[in-house]
Amino acid sequence: MAKHEVTPEQIASLDEIFAKARAAEKQIENYTQEQVDRMVRCVAWAAGNPKTFQEICWMGVDEAGAGDRNGRYGKRHKVLGVLRDALRQKSVGAIEVIPEKGITRYAKPAGVITSLIPMTNPELTPIVTAIYALKARDVVVFSPHPRTVRTTNKVVEIMRDALESIGENPDFLQCVRDVNMDLVAEAMKRCDLIMATGGPAMTKAAHSSGKPAYCSGAGNATMVFDETADVKQAARNTRISKTSDFGSGCSADGNLIICAEIYDDMLKALEEEGGYHATDEQRALLKKAMWDENGHRIVDTVAVSPQVLCRRAGFEIPEDRKFVMVNSEGIGKEYKFSGEKLTTLLTLYKYEGAFENALKMVDEIYKVGGRGHSCGIFSYNEEHIKALALRAPVTRVMVRQPQSKANAGSAENGMPMTSSMGCGTWGNNQVSENIALKHYMNSTWVSVPILRDQPSEDVLFGEFFDPAVTREQSEPIKL
């Protein structure tokens, strides 16, 4: 996002937006549970109904020039899942009571949120944020990505109209129309909380704002296939994960670490699922098309079909191919294909012998990029699953699931539904979990007296406790 000087007119516009937001904040903070639940249902249906969601998905893909029209619509399941999770939780009054500890927790709004929207989800992320924010009685000012300003503004306009249609204040949700880095920085300074879904630059800007910020980290999703993997199902999962929205998501499979015993069968199954196995010569052409001489990712090959990707690299592939596979050159910063790809291409690795050898590859891949985000495994060996969970420097491990359909929550797993995934300190984030309703709220803890709960010192100190040591034995310490 290029820097530009903020004009007086832009400052005046931002002043007006936040003045409306602060006025709206005073209104929504006293809403009942019934009122906020009605609002979240209203805006979720208005922007997330099948007809409208398809229209705004197509708009987002066309405006950005990246992504897949049909694949983008597949993300609608997150709208349903987020609404499900939000409606199942309380967000007004006492939301947790722990009688044995004499504790009651009350929910309070976070206040005014500045929400930074990524180019890859200009339609979904505003809906998700609106559901959780309204549920928590927050007000949101959305800041679009420069490449998808019209799409994000359209989504927010739809949700504002929906609020107005049921007699609610549309200023609970507002959107900035003029976007540049300096203006975004101004918007972040004026809020109470930042929700930043995007890459490292966005995360750095959010954390530099001086305001609390929940951010997402970069991905480099890696799958391990051990000797117990069902090759056909594993290949199908990879195709689903890799091709969703032309691989735009940070959870899309980028690296496959395959046991030598099943490698040939796995490669065949991947080809049957639509994979194109590039030659070493074609891999060299793809590298030139995907990264410039300074090692920066070339935007023209981000989130494009495999046919477009290969054509821009200088060769053609059959129209029925759904993704491209390249053999590993090695693992390290100098080997670009061991990092995040953000398109319909993945890298194949073969490990020989013990499972420890697969784990060593995982170690090295996450030194290149994607620490904190996610990895997965297709295995029925519980020891292998546990070993990966203990070793991998990530906050999510998906077992026998398509990562891009599972990491952010699914109807078939228990992960909290979201479009923003915290990556812990590995990813320079403050949380190691999916960012969901609880992150949009403050809490007031009320404590009443309980029966004394203080174990004796011999129990607390165990073998180190010595009753012969007394306070009276103490002597002044010489300075």
Side-chain angles (χ1 to χ4, degrees), residues 11 102 181 271 282 331 359 402 447 464:
I11 291 294
M181 182 60 90
E271 289 175 334
Q282 290 170 334
I331 304 175
L359 296 179
S447 172
F464 303 101

Side-chain angles (χ1 to χ4, degrees), residues 161-173:
D161 289 346
L163 287 172
E164 200 164 23
S165 74
I166 59 172
E168 299 293 354
N169 187 349
D171 291 338
F172 292 157
L173 307 173

